[in-house]
Structures are given as C-alpha cells and as structure tokens.
Amino acid sequence: MPAPPNAHAEDRGRCQERPEFIPASLQVIEEVRPKYACAKACGVAAAEKPAAPIEKGLPGPGLLAQVAVSKYGDHLPLNRIESIFQRHGVELSRKTMCDWMAACAELVSPVWERMKEVVLTSKAVQTDDTPVPVLDRERTRTRTGRIWTYVGDRNRPYIVYDYTGNHSREGPEVFLKGYNGYLQADAYRGYDAMFKNRKQYFDGGRLLGVFEAILF
C-alpha cells in the first residue's frame, strides 16, 4: 500500500535490525620508497625502509596478531589456521606461521620478563602446572612438556606462564629463586626439596598447602 503524500519518513515503514557477519579480508600493502639521484652525479638517496615487526619479514602487525590470537587465544592449531586462510584464497603454510610465532615470542620477551619481576614481588603467589604434548622429531610419538602458571596477588594481577620440557623441580626452582613471600601450591614433591633450603630459594618464604587460605 503506498504511503500518503503528506506522510513523514518515520511513517513510511518500520526499521528492522538483522545481525550479519562480514568476513575479514587480507590485503597486500605496497610500501613505495622514493629514490633520488643527484643531477651532478653526487650520489643516490632513498627513503629508509619502514620498521617491521620481524626484520626482513613480510607480515604486518595485524596479520601476526591474527595468527597469535587464533593459536593461543582461540586454541586453533596451525594446520586449521592454514585451512582458514586457504578459504580466503591465501596460501600460508603452517611452517611459515610457526616461524612467525617464534619471532613474536622474541618480540614480547621483555614484557614477559617484566611481568615475572612484578609477580615475584607479590605477598603471595599461586602456582600450578599442566601437561602439554610436544612434538619431537627424534621420537615416533609426542613427549610430555609442562606449562607452569604463576599468579600474582590482587595488587599485582598478572598471570605468567613458563614452559619446561619435563616435570622436574628445576622449573619452579629457577623461576621462583629469590622470591620472598608465600607460595600456594599442590602436593607436588618437587616443592619439598626446594624448601629444605628455604633461605636459598625463598629467603625464609613459606609454602602453603593447597587447602590453606590466603588473605591477599
């Protein structure tokens, strides 16, 4: 039915909102660096190359962030991320992305070191570990590594992860050396040896049982 001639815009129909998904897109950005030559043959000058996250690397920061969040935030293995990029018409091998993530780990290592320093100034630290399968080219099947988690108190609300290739006490010994405070942990026997010489590792710190309350 046509609207009356004197009808206002808001009277001509109802607005309906419909959620829609617009897929992400990948772009190739060309960086042009002008080069100039002196007319009197005194030399050639060119603009400096823009800074890149990975030296001599092609990926931009947005692409690196996408791969990192997909792998570590969304827990997608690189082979699935590879398939997702293929649906976008982009061939990006998992080996290449693995090299990128190793380079990104080096880039953020100063942030990790600083977070560790702050966590170890906490009055109390909570810790636990979880097993993770690790590929090993020298073996026909995976081996078991460990991810150790260290949580600061309410005034230092950081969570720091540390990887070790096994479940020995050496991992927490190295990470916690010099810590002066309370440690809340489970009954893992590796902590027992550490507290035989509390002065060396914790400067008089105290190990709390898993069921013992901590007031932060």
Side-chain angles (χ1 to χ4, degrees):
M1 181 179 68
N6 59 347
H8 296 288
E10 57 267 26
D11 297 330
R12 294 180 181 273
R14 294 183 178 181
C15 176
Q16 179 178 354
E17 295 183 353
R18 177 180 290 107
E20 184 57 277
F21 175 75
I22 301 176
S25 62
L26 287 90
Q27 299 178 343
V28 176
I29 300 176
E30 294 185 352
E31 298 172 342
V32 179
R33 293 185 292 155
K35 181 183 292 186
Y36 301 96
C38 178
K40 298 181 179 180
C42 57
V44 177
E48 294 185 0
K49 184 178 180 180
I54 301 177
E55 187 176 359
K56 297 182 180 180
L58 294 178
L63 179 55
L64 292 175
Q66 174 64 30
V67 175
V69 171
S70 297
K71 177 172 173 55
Y72 301 106
D74 300 332
H75 304 285
L76 293 176
L78 291 177
N79 64 307
R80 293 185 183 177
I81 301 175
E82 182 181 32
S83 299
I84 293 173
F85 280 123
Q86 286 175 346
R87 292 202 300 268
H88 287 277
V90 177
E91 293 294 334
L92 194 56
S93 72
R94 67 194 74 174
K95 180 182 183 304
T96 297
M97 290 186 287
C98 184
D99 293 339
W100 288 355
M101 293 301 96
C104 287
E106 292 293 330
L107 287 173
V108 300
S109 60
V111 179
W112 183 90
E113 292 288 351
R114 179 54 183 158
M115 291 176 64
K116 175 184 175 182
E117 291 177 3
V118 174
V119 165
L120 293 183
T121 62
S122 299
K123 178 180 178 181
V125 170
Q126 295 173 313
T127 183
D128 199 3
D129 66 278
T130 187
V132 290
V134 180
L135 294 175
D136 191 336
R137 295 180 179 179
E138 297 180 356
R139 304 178 61 176
T140 57
R141 59 181 182 179
T142 61
R143 58 182 175 83
T144 302
R146 292 281 168 168
I147 297 291
W148 303 79
T149 306
Y150 300 91
V151 183
D153 58 28
R154 65 172 58 180
N155 295 321
R156 303 157 187 85
Y158 296 130
I159 302 175
V160 180
Y161 298 94
D162 188 39
Y163 168 79
T164 61
N166 52 51
H167 198 209
S168 72
R169 69 171 187 265
E170 183 179 356
E173 275 185 359
V174 172
F175 189 96
L176 294 167
K177 189 170 184 178
Y179 173 60
N180 182 16
Y182 292 91
L183 181 68
Q184 184 181 24
D186 57 17
Y188 168 53
R189 291 186 176 182
Y191 297 117
D192 297 341
M194 295 166 59
F195 275 83
K196 287 181 180 179
N197 189 352
R198 294 187 303 172
K199 188 68 177 177
Q200 177 182 357
Y201 293 108
F202 294 95
D203 194 21
R206 180 185 174 200
L207 180 65
L208 299 179
V210 68
F211 297 112
E212 191 167 355
I214 297 179
L215 297 178
F216 292 99

